[in-house]
Amino acid sequence: MSGQLVMSGVPWFDDRGQTVNAHGACLLEQDGRYYLFGEYKTDDVNRFAGFACYSSADLADWRFEGIVLPQQDGGLMGPGRIGERVKVMRCPSTGVYVMYMHSDDLRYMDPHICVATSDTIDGEYTFAGELTYQGEPIRKWDMGTFQDDDGTGYLLLHEGDIYRLSEDYLVAEERVAEGVARGGESPAMLKHDGRYFLMFSHKTSWESNENFHLSAPALEGPWTYRGHFAPDGSLTCNSQCTFAFRLPTGEPVYMGDRWSFPHQASAATYVWQPLRAEDDTLSIPEFWGAWDPRTRGPAELVGKETEIDFSSDIAGEEIVIPFTGTRVALVGRSRPDGSYARVELTRADGTVVSSIYVTFYSKVPDSGYRYVSPVLPWGHHALRVTVLGEPTEWSDKRGERFGSVGTRVTVDRAVVID
Ligand code: GLA
C-alpha cells in the first residue's frame, strides 16, 4: 500500500481499501507478523464501536483481521459506553492473549479498566469484566501495558501508577510505583539497554501537546523526569503517545495518535517515528513524513510533482486533480484555522473508489504529506478535494473548548506515482 514506507499523519488504507481504523493502539509481533490492535472509531459519534485488529509483514501493508472485541450487549462495554486504549499481551504462563481497555460513560465520568481474553491472537476476545487490585476495581482511565523480558506483565496508568499483573495476567497483584507522572495521560513504556522509559502526554483531550518521558533503572524507580522527546514546539510531531515497539534489529519505534475529532475514523492518523535511545533519554530528533523500516532512514514518495496552489475556506469549493498512474499524494499545510476536506478518489468511468475526510488542522502549523491514496491498477483516475466548511472542534470534560478557528484547506502540490 505505502510502497513499504511507514507514513505519518496521512490515512493508511487496508487490504479492503478502507482506512486503517486502529487508534490508541498497540503492536504485537508473532511468527514474523505484526498485529495492530486499536479503537475502531466512527466518523460521527464517540462511543465504543469495537476494537479492531490488523496484521502486516512489513509495517506498511495492513490486512484487516476483524473486530476482535465488538460492542457488548450491555454492561461496561455495551451501548452508550466509551472504549479506549486497547492493549494486548500474550500471557507466557497460560498462552492466553489478554486484552486490556478503558471503559467509561460518554462524559468520561465512570472510568474502569477492563479485561478480555482469547486463545488466538486475532480473537474474538471474550469480555471478562473489570480488572481488580486487592478485590477492588481500578477506577482509572488512560492505560497502557508492558511486558518485561522475563514475561512479567504490567499495567500502566495515567498519573504514573504501575501495577504488576498476576501470573495469569488477569488480576493486578502489586502496585510497584505510584504517581510518578502527575498530570500525565496515555502511558507507554519501553525497555532499552536495561533501562525503563515511560512516556506520557499532558491532559489536553484530543489536542496534541508536548509529551514527556521519564527513565528508571527498575520499574519501582527511582523515576527521573527527562523532558520532551520530540522536537520542541512540534507538540510531539502533532501526536499523543500510545505505545512503543522494536524493529527486528532492536531499534525502538514511537507510536502516537494524531486525533481528529469528530471525524476520527478517517481523519485521525498515526505518527510512527524511530526513537533514539541514548543513555537515559529518548528522542525523535526530527519528524519524518515517510521512512523505510528496512533502512530505518527517511524516505520520500517518488513521482511526478504538480503545483496545485489551492487554498479556500468556502464550503463546497473544490479542486479536481486528474492523474495517470497508480496513486497520488497531496502535500499541503495544516494550521490553526484549517479543517476538513472531503477527498474522493474516482476511476476514469466515475466510480468512486474511496471517499474520506482529511484534516488540514493543527495547532502548530505544518507542511507535509496530508493524503496518500490507496494503490490502484495503473490507469486514468481523478482526485477531488472539496472544502467541507466545518471546523474540527470539541470540548473536554471540564468544558474547555479545543480545535480549529477556521475551515481552510490548503493544498500546495500533488505527487503522481506511476
Ligand atoms: C485523552 C485520552 C484519550 C481520550 C481523550 C478524550 O486524549 O488520552 O484516550 O480519552 O482524552 O478527550
Side-chain angles (χ1 to χ4, degrees):
M1 270 306 147
S2 313
Q4 287 179 303
L5 300 181
V6 175
M7 308 271 318
S8 288
V10 296
W12 298 351
F13 291 95
D14 67 11
D15 59 319
R16 306 169 301 171
Q18 296 184 22
T19 49
V20 172
N21 194 347
H23 309 272
C26 73
L27 192 86
L28 247 74
E29 198 254 308
Q30 178 172 286
D31 301 332
R33 253 190 117 67
Y34 295 101
Y35 290 83
L36 176 71
F37 295 85
E39 302 157 21
Y40 201 75
K41 295 289 200 195
T42 76
D43 264 339
D44 42 37
V45 288
N46 193 37
R47 61 169 169 68
F48 174 59
F51 293 136
C53 176
Y54 296 81
S55 77
S56 170
D58 59 7
L59 299 171
D61 280 316
W62 291 98
R63 181 170 81 202
F64 179 65
E65 297 290 349
I67 299 295
V68 288
L69 187 81
Q71 187 194 74
Q72 306 291 292
D73 292 339
L76 289 172
M77 297 302 279
R81 296 288 298 179
I82 292 287
E84 292 179 348
R85 301 212 163 271
V86 54
K87 299 287 172 282
V88 175
M89 295 190 290
R90 182 180 176 275
C91 176
S93 68
T94 61
V96 170
Y97 295 85
V98 187
M99 172 184 278
Y100 304 85
M101 68 208 81
H102 161 209
S103 150
D104 221 318
D105 68 17
L106 294 177
R107 295 167 53 237
Y108 292 93
M109 303 299 260
D110 183 36
H112 298 259
I113 305 296
C114 295
V115 68
T117 59
S118 171
D119 290 335
T120 52
I121 192 165
D122 55 355
E124 187 174 315
Y125 285 72
T126 306
F127 187 64
E130 287 176 273
L131 187 78
T132 57
Y133 173 58
Q134 296 181 339
E136 297 292 324
I138 301 174
R139 305 299 303 270
K140 295 281 172 124
W141 56 94
D142 274 10
M143 38 81 46
T145 55
F146 173 69
Q147 187 172 53
D148 211 341
D149 302 332
D150 66 359
T152 310
Y154 294 88
L155 175 74
L156 320 170
L157 293 171
H158 66 94
E159 314 275 344
D161 291 357
I162 304 173
Y163 288 88
R164 181 178 53 74
L165 297 165
S166 54
E167 210 171 301
D168 64 5
Y169 278 21
L170 299 177
V171 174
E173 211 162 63
E174 184 196 357
R175 185 159 55 208
V176 296
E178 197 182 351
V180 301
R182 295 281 178 216
E185 272 192 330
S186 66
M189 190 177 274
L190 173 75
K191 188 177 186 183
H192 191 82
D193 274 349
R195 284 197 79 77
Y196 297 87
F197 295 93
L198 260 174
M199 292 182 265
F200 291 91
S201 74
H202 296 283
K203 293 181 183 165
T204 53
S205 182
W206 307 114
E207 184 59 271
S208 307
N209 57 55
E210 303 272 77
N211 292 190
F212 60 96
H213 72 304
L214 304 97
S215 70
L219 281 152
E220 293 76 17
W223 286 96
T224 307
Y225 178 76
R226 300 289 178 193
H228 306 155
F229 53 85
D232 272 336
S234 71
L235 305 185
T236 323
C237 306
N238 190 14
S239 73
Q240 180 186 30
C241 56
T242 183
F243 200 71
F245 69 97
R246 283 165 186 290
L247 296 172
T249 44
E251 281 110 339
V253 178
Y254 162 88
M255 283 169 58
D257 290 289
R258 188 174 287 183
W259 299 108
S260 184
F261 192 85
H263 300 312
Q264 308 258 39
S266 49
T269 57
Y270 312 106
V271 172
W272 290 17
Q273 299 286 310
L275 274 169
R276 185 182 292 170
E278 255 168 354
D279 304 327
D280 289 322
T281 58
L282 295 178
S283 63
I284 298 171
E286 95 184 309
F287 174 75
W288 293 341
W291 57 279
D292 189 329
R294 293 160 298 183
T295 61
R296 207 180 157 269
E300 267 182 35
L301 294 174
V302 180
K304 188 172 162 292
E305 307 219 349
T306 314
E307 293 302 314
I308 301 285
D309 222 4
F310 174 79
S311 184
S312 167
D313 60 1
I314 298 166
E317 276 203 348
E318 63 180 30
I319 180 165
V320 177
I321 305 162
F323 68 97
T324 303
T326 59
R327 59 199 308 220
V328 64
L330 296 178
V331 177
R333 274 168 281 162
S334 62
R335 34 197 267 182
D337 64 349
S339 194
Y340 293 111
R342 162 68 61 188
V343 175
E344 209 171 72
L345 180 66
T346 53
R347 289 188 216 279
D349 65 3
T351 334
V352 177
V353 180
S354 160
S355 175
I356 67 165
Y357 296 105
V358 171
T359 183
F360 288 78
Y361 166 73
S362 58
K363 193 173 166 190
V364 168
D366 174 67
S367 183
Y369 294 120
R370 304 264 82 93
Y371 172 86
V372 183
S373 76
V375 179
L376 299 175
W378 191 92
H380 305 297
H381 316 288
L383 194 72
R384 180 184 299 270
V385 181
T386 312
V387 179
L388 203 65
E390 179 197 303
T392 170
E393 60 177 341
W394 67 95
S395 310
D396 70 4
K397 59 184 169 196
R398 289 172 288 272
E400 192 181 342
R401 185 207 176 267
F402 294 88
S404 67
V405 294
T407 58
R408 188 163 292 275
V409 169
T410 309
V411 180
D412 298 317
R413 255 182 5 258
V415 183
V416 174
I417 298 154
D418 218 13

